[in-house]
């Protein structure tokens, strides 16, 4: 409360009465009153607070007195400086219109000839304080004509440091407005600033720092950057920076050095600037100076900015590929009329699509990080949120006639089965079981079975990918192409598989003495345990140490041996190596794979030990980037030797003298297109595009051999596309060692050190970037060493789960069926390449043949589940495996669940994509989860027929209670759900809606809420129920909108790990994923207990209780990661895409706006 008897307030009242004409008449009284107020404020802190306190008009009175007359300006200014000098007071001053008054006074004072230096000094000192606090400062300055006044003052006082400093501070504030920067540039201010910046000196350092800040702000304008280049200032700036770097040995002037770098950073935002920087030997200057700064942690801002400039100026390289299209070609039965696939097919032959010329001329987009243009940004809104209320309500009319859908009745026999004929299991009869797995597999060539050490040695000798042997005469054909298909691959490729695996590996004779002589060099034939080994058959590149194209070794004698297959029967009841090989025989691939990868053959037993998220080593990204820059600085150190290339189909594995690793990816789900040895122990790896596409590089699965034990190898996957990755947040790649498997540890383990993910210097063609120009690829780099000599190891993005693995698991599930379980496997349809898409029906048999029991059986609610529409999201298949095993399990809970529901499950919606190593698409080159609105029966058969099943159910009034599509998420942790809610979508947008529009049952939140209570990996906080425009063709939204399923979800499982709950700080494994699948079933059981209540109101009360009364709407953007101590710069350009700084300590706020160097892109693409 302002005291009424306060002396300062009495004086302010007196001054207020004097304002206007009275002040002009009684100047002396006004001066005396002002002097007394100033004295009180200077001597009593309380008086200053009273003037600025809430409810006081003190500031307005002082401003009014200034506006009326400048005769008393010196005292009023002193008063104004005193009152608004610091902290919150400046904000109050701005809010009262103080900035405009100051510019008025500046204009008035400028009319005096010459202007009062003291007045100008005071004015600019106050403007320098006000500028950063007033968002409209730049606009007000321009409209008032203040720009020229300040510039002229600087020109006239270039040697007067006392006046020059506040003028430069004000100029810095002016220049943050982009329009002002261009105007000032035209007025010669850029050249003026270059006259002020100077070589190393301990004098006037504050002045130089402010001048560099102002120059840096001016150079954000491309026009001004061009002026700097044309004026020959780039070499000058580099020389000045180097001078300060060499002389500032005690690092007292780091901010000045940073100022030079910021100017260079902004100049190099234009192509001319980058060219001038290269010509001035900027790369070497910054590389050497940065290397000298590395040992001093406080100089990190200099190193980071230098790194950013060097990477931006690093000449853009093309990917070392003949084309960005996939190395594999599949001719579609017909090409879509429009879209990326149509564009791909319309390209003239011979077009170089790796880098198109238009990209080379593209300049980087203008920076958008100016301080005073927040009004142009609309924070916190998302244009992708659906705002059309008509689209936020389910369709009322069916989209297809029932006559068209009647054909799908045969997939719902359980809804009409009367169980009166031929017992209750006839219709669900399973096919005859295949031979059970043996703990060991014979090798061809001899009848004697080795025992003991000899057996183990022979087993080790067989450590190579398994080639698929020639077909036996009694192998039945795997099927036929439906008539609508185009010229797909031939069945079984060049080699099919025999019934037994005894012909899988042949051993050549070799004396132990000869082997010993040659063991020093890893060469053909591979020597393991003193016995030579080689692969048989396999065609293109599948032979180890033989001439390309050799079809086998029929003419060579072989010695009998035994491949010791890990006995995983007890640990992996659903795995059988022999059965897996049988399943591969019926799998069709475009490349006609003739090999089986060992991990898929041996199986994977989840490790019992914990695998924590990898702690990021400080500076790891920077050191990797510097190694990349060294390629340009020291080109003679680079080998640039191609060691594997799928674009040479006759011979992908390029033989050498044993100095290089050997790579292979020619097996189901494999993806590696090319390997280039860049240094002795460093390899650049290029991934293959999805078939009929020119992008989607993320999934990888390849084999490495010929390694040296204890040597650290670095692998760089150089054509990643997403702008951020969980590899920056603790995720590791997966490795499978065959030697470990043979020793009884068949498992994928997380591996790799020095892992990071960052933008590289490989240009991404606009053809592959949706028309966007100037884009780059990203590098995933990791280092690892190998524990076993002459091992064969596999690396994968995530735990592989092939289509043949699914078929094997489904076959084994049949064996779990008891008379109480109703299990039926149908073929929903065939894919483009002729692989079958399985459809499972699981429920409980009726208790008896009585009408009541059969009626209960038929009327069970349906649950519809699907998975693996995106091939690279292998975790979805592991979750589905957990669901299927639980449903087929013997537990009472599983029995209750089967009795409660009928499950319809499509466990793999995209078999072709999975088989061929795609990441996101099917053979049509399209993301199948964007085709649900209007799927094409020829190009998207699995989606077309799955949607038809749901449409049939809607027609017969049996729409599922729950629909859930299992996915994997590459950029978030935990497991979570996306659902659909009208209310929550409206809340997140600005549209107005009536209460009737927002009427909605909260039941859609029940299932995720239950999961958050019972599943430790599940995070309710990460769930979102907002409908977005970009997702309107996904399964979740279409099933919600068109089929009318309120509980329609996408369940996303992390590829990385968890940051909450029991698994916090751990990477996720197959055990946790399968557990999630089982817990989803448990949640459905609890949901049944709620929805099964007869009293509907009681049900709603219970659901509300579960959901919680204060359940806020959740809208989670793509990435939600904490920051790092090391600034993670994913971007090579400071201005590429809307970035945000990432620093480990959230509380560390940089005063310097140039922390914008440290950017991460935040694309919000590809969630479902």
């Amino acid at each position: 409360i302002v005291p009424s008897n306060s002396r300062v307030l009495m004086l302010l009242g007196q001054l207020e009465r004097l304002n206007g004409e009275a002040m002009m008449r009684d100047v002396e009284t006004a001066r005396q009153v002002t002097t007394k107020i100033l004295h009180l404020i200077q001597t009593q802190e309380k008086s200053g607070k009273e003037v600025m306190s809430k409810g006081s008009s003190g500031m307005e009175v002082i401003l009014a007195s200034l506006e009326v007359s400048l005769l008393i300006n010196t005292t009023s200014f002193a008063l104004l400086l005193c009152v608004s000098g610091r902290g919150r007071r400046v904000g109050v001053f701005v809010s009262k219109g103080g900035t405009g008054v100051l510019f008025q006074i500046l204009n008035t004072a400028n009319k005096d000839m010459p202007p009062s230096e003291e007045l100008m000094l005071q004015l600019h000192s106050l403007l320098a304080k006000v500028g950063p606090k007033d968002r409209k400062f730049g606009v007000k300055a321009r409209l008032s004509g203040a720009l020229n006044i300040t510039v002229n003052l600087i020109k006239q006082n270039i040697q007067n440091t006392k006046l020059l400093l506040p003028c430069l501070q004000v100029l810095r504030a002016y220049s943050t407005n982009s329009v002002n920067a261009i105007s000032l540039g035209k007025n010669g201010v850029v050249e003026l600033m270059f006259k002020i910046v100077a070589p190393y000196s301990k004098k006037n350092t504050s002045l130089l720092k402010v001048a560099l800040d102002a120059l840096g702000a001016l150079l954000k304008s491309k026009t001004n950057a061009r002026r700097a280049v044309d004026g020959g200032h780039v070499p000058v700036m580099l020389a000045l920076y180097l001078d300060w770097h060499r002389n500032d040995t005690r690092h007292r002037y780091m901010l000045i050095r940073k100022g030079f770098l910021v100017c260079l950073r902004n100049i190099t935002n234009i192509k001319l600037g980058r060219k001038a920087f290269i010509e001035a030997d900027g790369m070497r200057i910054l590389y050497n100076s940065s290397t000298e700064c590395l040992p001093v942690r406080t100089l990190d801002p200099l190193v980071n900015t230098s790194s950013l400039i060097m990477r931006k100026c690093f000449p853009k390289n093309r990917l070392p590929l003949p084309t960005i299209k996939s190395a594999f070609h599949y001719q579609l039965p017909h090409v879509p009329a429009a879209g990326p696939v149509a564009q791909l097919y319309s390209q003239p032959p011979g077009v170089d699509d790796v880098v198109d010329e238009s990209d080379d001329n593209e300049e980087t987009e203008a920076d958008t990080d100016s301080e005073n243009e927040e009004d142009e940004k609309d924070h916190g809104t998302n244009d992708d949120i659906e705002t059309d209320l008509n689209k936020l309500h389910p369709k009322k009319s069916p989209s297809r006639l029932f006559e068209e859908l009647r054909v799908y009745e045969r997939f719902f026999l359980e809804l009409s089965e009367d169980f009166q004929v031929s017992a209750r299991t006839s219709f669900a009869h399973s096919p005859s079981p295949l031979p059970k797995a043996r703990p060991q597999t014979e090798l061809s060539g001899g009848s004697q079975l080795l025992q003991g050490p000899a057996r183990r040695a022979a087993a080790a000798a067989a450590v190579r990918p398994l080639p698929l042997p020639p077909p036996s005469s009694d192998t039945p054909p795997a099927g036929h192409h439906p008539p609508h298909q185009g010229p797909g691959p031939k069945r079984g490729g060049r080699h099919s598989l025999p019934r037994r695996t005894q012909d899988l590996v042949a051993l050549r004779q070799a004396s132990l003495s000869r082997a010993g002589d040659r063991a020093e060099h890893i060469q053909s034939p591979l020597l393991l345990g003193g016995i030579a080994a080689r692969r048989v058959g396999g065609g293109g590149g599948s032979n180890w140490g033989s001439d390309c194209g050799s079809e086998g070794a029929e003419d060579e004698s072989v010695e009998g041996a035994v491949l010791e297959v890990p006995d995983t029967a007890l640990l992996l009841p659903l795995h059988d190596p022999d059965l897996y090989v049988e399943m591969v025989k019926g799998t069709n691939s475009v490349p006609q794979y003739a090999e089986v990868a060992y991990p898929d053959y041996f199986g994977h037993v989840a490790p019992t030990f914990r695998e924590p998220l990898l702690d990021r080593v400080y500076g790891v990204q920077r050191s990797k980037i510097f190694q990349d820059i060294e390629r340009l600085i020291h080109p003679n150190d680079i080998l640039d030797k191609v060691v594997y290339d799928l674009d040479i189909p006759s011979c992908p594995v390029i033989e050498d003298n044993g100095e290089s690793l050997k790579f292979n990816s020619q097996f189901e789900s494999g993806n590696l297109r090319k390997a280039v040895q860049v240094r002795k122990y460093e390899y650049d790896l290029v991934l293959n595009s999805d078939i009929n596409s020119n992008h989607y590089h993320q999934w990888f699965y390849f084999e490495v051999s010929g390694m040296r034990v204890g040597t650290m190898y670095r692998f760089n996957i150089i054509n990643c596309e997403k702008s951020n990755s969980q590899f920056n947040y603790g995720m590791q790649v997966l490795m499978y060692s065959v030697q470990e498997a043979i020793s009884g540890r068949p498992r994928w383990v997380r591996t790799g050190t020095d892992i990071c993910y960052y933008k590289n210097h490989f240009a991404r063609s606009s053809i592959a970037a949706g028309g966007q120009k100037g884009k780059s690829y990203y590098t995933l780099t990791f280092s690892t060493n190998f524990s076993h000599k002459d091992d064969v190891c596999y690396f994968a993005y995530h735990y592989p789960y092939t289509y043949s693995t699914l078929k094997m698991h489904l076959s084994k599930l049949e064996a779990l069926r008891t008379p109480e379980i109703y299990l039926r496997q149908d073929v929903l349809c065939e894919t483009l390449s002729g692989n079958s898409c399985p459809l499972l029906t699981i429920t409980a048999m009726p208790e008896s043949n009585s009408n009541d029991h059969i009626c209960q059986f038929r009327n069970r609610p349906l649950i519809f589940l699907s998975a693996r529409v995106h091939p690279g999201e292998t975790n979805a298949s592991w979750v589905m495996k957990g669901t299927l095993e639980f449903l087929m399990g013997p537990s009472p809970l599983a029995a209750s669940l089967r009795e409660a529901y009928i499950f319809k499950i499509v466990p793999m919606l995209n078999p072709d994509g999975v088989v061929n190593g795609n990441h996101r698409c099917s053979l049509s080159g399209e993301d199948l989860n964007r085709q649900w609105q209007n799927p094409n029966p020829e190009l998207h058969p699995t989606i077309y027929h799955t949607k038809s099943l749901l449409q049939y159910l809607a027609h017969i009034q049996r729409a599922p209670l729950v629909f859930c599509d299992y996915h994997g998420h590459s950029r978030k942790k935990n497991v979570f759900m996306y659902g659909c809610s009208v209310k929550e979508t409206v809340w997140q947008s600005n549209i107005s809606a009536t209460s009737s529009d927002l009427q909605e049952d909260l039941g859609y939140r029940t299932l995720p809420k239950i999961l958050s209570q019972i599943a430790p990996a599940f995070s309710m906080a990460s769930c979102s129920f907002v409908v977005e425009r970009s997702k309107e063709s996904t399964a979740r939204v279409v099933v919600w909108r068109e089929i009318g399923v309120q509980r329609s979800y996408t369940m996303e499982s992390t590829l990385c790990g968890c940051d909450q709950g029991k698994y916090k700080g751990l990477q996720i494994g197959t055990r946790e994923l399968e557990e999630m699948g089982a817990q989803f079933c448990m949640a459905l059981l609890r949901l049944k207990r709620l929805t099964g209540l007869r009293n509907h109101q009681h049900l709603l009360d219970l659901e509300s209780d579960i959901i919680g009364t204060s359940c806020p709407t959740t809208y989670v953007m793509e990435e939600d990661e904490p920051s790092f101590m090391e600034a993670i710069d994913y971007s090579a350009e400071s201005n590429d895409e809307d970035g945000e700084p990432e620093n480990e300590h959230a509380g560390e706020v940089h005063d310097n706006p140039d922390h914008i160097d440290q950017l991460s892109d935040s694309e919000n693409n590809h969630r479902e």
Side-chain angles (χ1 to χ4, degrees), residues 593-667:
Y593 290 131
E595 297 167 18
V596 175
Y598 270 96
D600 304 321
Y601 178 75
F602 284 156
H604 160 72
V605 179
T608 53
F609 50 84
R610 293 178 147 207
E611 295 183 290
L613 293 166
L614 184 70
D615 289 331
R616 188 182 177 90
V617 177
Y618 184 83
V620 60
Q621 175 185 274
R622 191 171 57 197
S623 67
K624 299 298 178 189
I625 290 166
F626 272 52
Q627 287 173 30
D628 291 351
I629 291 167
E630 281 172 18
R631 298 188 191 190
L632 190 69
I633 308 285
H634 307 296
N636 293 336
D637 296 346
I638 303 305
L639 300 176
D640 206 24
K641 174 184 172 186
V642 177
V643 295
Y644 180 73
D645 192 352
L646 276 185
D647 289 298
I648 310 174
S650 60
C651 190
V653 181
I654 296 159
E655 296 299 331
D656 70 346
N657 56 4
E659 288 298 309
S660 308
L661 293 175
K662 289 184 167 54
F663 293 84
N664 183 35
S665 61
Q666 297 182 97
F667 43 79

Side-chain angles (χ1 to χ4, degrees), residues 18-31:
L18 279 169
N19 271 344
E21 292 180 11
M23 185 177 289
M24 301 301 291
R25 289 194 302 270
D26 200 350
V27 171
E28 189 56 37
T29 306
R31 184 177 285 118

Side-chain angles (χ1 to χ4, degrees), residues 265-307:
R265 182 197 74 189
N266 292 342
I267 289 172
T268 53
N269 278 340
I270 63 169
K271 188 180 177 185
L272 274 175
R274 293 192 285 274
K275 184 182 176 189
F277 177 84
I278 294 284
E279 289 173 352
D281 203 23
M283 294 293 281
R284 193 177 300 275
I285 291 170
L286 290 197
Y287 176 81
N288 291 336
S289 62
S290 300
T291 307
E292 291 165 17
C293 291
L294 281 174
V296 186
R297 186 80 170 260
T298 52
L299 298 181
D300 277 358
L302 302 183
V303 178
N304 292 339
T305 310
S306 297
S307 165

Side-chain angles (χ1 to χ4, degrees), residues 1081-1095:
C1081 294
M1082 295 291 294
L1084 289 173
L1085 194 57
R1086 192 176 290 190
L1087 180 71
K1088 172 63 180 176
R1089 288 169 184 165
L1090 290 172
T1091 54
L1093 295 167
R1094 290 183 181 177
N1095 183 334

Side-chain angles (χ1 to χ4, degrees), residues 58 96 114 201 301 367-368 447 605 671 865 886 1032 1061 1072 1097:
K96 302 293 186 185
S201 167
D367 237 329
T368 57
S447 58
V605 179
N671 190 318
L865 306 177
F886 183 90
E1032 67 178 7
E1072 293 76 36
Q1097 187 56 48

Side-chain angles (χ1 to χ4, degrees), residues 764-1053:
R764 189 173 170 201
S765 167
S766 64
I767 297 170
Q772 296 181 74
K773 296 176 180 176
K775 293 287 182 182
S776 294
Y777 286 103
Y778 291 76
T779 290
L780 160 64
T781 181
F782 64 95
S783 300
T784 192
N785 54 27
F786 300 95
S787 304
H788 302 287
K789 187 173 185 292
D790 295 332
D791 198 358
V792 173
C793 292
Y794 293 78
F795 291 98
Y797 177 68
H798 198 67
Y799 301 93
Y801 190 104
T802 66
Y803 172 62
S804 297
T805 299
L806 171 70
K807 292 194 293 181
M808 175 187 68
H809 284 162
L810 295 184
S811 178
K812 299 288 280 185
L813 276 176
E814 291 274 6
L816 300 179
R817 188 172 53 79
T818 64
E820 289 74 37
I821 298 176
Y822 181 109
L823 168 67
R824 194 176 73 249
Q825 285 194 44
D826 295 300
V827 174
L828 176 62
C829 61
E830 282 201 336
T831 64
L832 279 169
S833 67
N835 291 306
S836 61
C837 178
L839 168 68
L840 273 65
T841 305
I842 302 175
T843 187
M845 296 292 286
E847 286 184 40
S848 72
N849 290 354
S850 71
N851 285 338
D852 285 351
H853 286 147
I854 289 175
C855 186
Q856 186 275 338
F857 172 88
R858 291 179 182 173
N859 288 312
R860 291 170 188 165
L862 277 92
I863 306 290
F864 203 110
L865 306 177
S866 61
R868 206 66 187 283
V869 70
H870 295 144
E873 295 167 10
T874 57
N875 49 356
S877 282
W878 290 99
V879 176
M880 180 58 79
K881 179 174 182 279
T883 293
L884 291 173
E885 286 187 42
F886 183 90
L887 284 174
M888 292 298 295
S891 73
L893 290 171
S896 298
L897 192 60
R898 291 191 295 266
E899 290 164 7
Y901 299 113
I902 296 171
F903 285 86
K904 286 288 180 184
I905 301 174
V906 184
M908 192 172 281
L909 280 166
N910 190 353
D912 286 349
V914 171
V915 169
N916 293 291
N918 284 7
H919 173 66
R920 197 162 182 88
C921 299
S922 68
L923 290 188
S924 71
E926 296 164 300
D927 180 347
L928 290 182
N929 204 35
R930 295 295 184 278
Q931 309 304 324
W932 279 77
Q933 270 190 323
N934 189 26
N936 181 292
E938 274 193 295
L939 296 178
H940 325 117
T942 59
I943 304 302
Y944 179 84
H945 293 296
T946 304
K947 183 178 181 181
S948 297
L949 291 178
L950 289 156
Q951 288 173 320
Y952 172 79
L953 287 172
H955 265 286
I956 64 169
Q957 308 297 310
R958 293 295 300 274
L961 176 72
V962 172
F963 171 86
C964 190
D965 191 20
Y966 292 3
H967 281 251
H969 204 293
S970 66
R971 296 206 280 185
K972 288 175 74 173
K973 291 186 171 68
N974 311 312
V975 181
F976 51 94
M977 280 179 154
Y978 294 126
C980 302
S981 162
V982 177
K983 191 177 292 184
E984 298 198 31
T985 304
V986 168
W987 283 344
Q988 290 294 336
S989 64
N990 297 321
I991 60 173
S992 57
T994 63
S995 56
S996 61
D997 286 327
L998 300 181
Q999 280 185 350
E1000 185 172 52
D1001 187 341
L1002 274 177
Y1004 65 89
R1005 272 184 171 263
T1006 312
L1007 188 61
K1009 189 66 179 177
I1010 294 170
L1011 279 168
S1012 71
Q1013 293 169 354
I1014 66 172
F1018 194 88
S1019 167
M1020 188 70 187
S1022 298
C1023 295
S1024 172
F1025 304 94
V1026 172
V1027 179
E1028 293 162 307
R1029 292 191 183 101
S1030 61
K1031 305 297 187 298
E1032 67 178 7
S1033 292
T1034 61
R1036 163 179 65 101
V1037 177
V1038 169
V1039 172
W1040 172 70
R1041 185 180 290 160
E1042 295 185 23
I1043 311 300
V1045 178
Q1046 183 198 24
R1047 295 179 177 87
S1048 178
Y1049 306 104
T1050 300
M1051 187 163 75
E1052 301 271 3
S1053 300

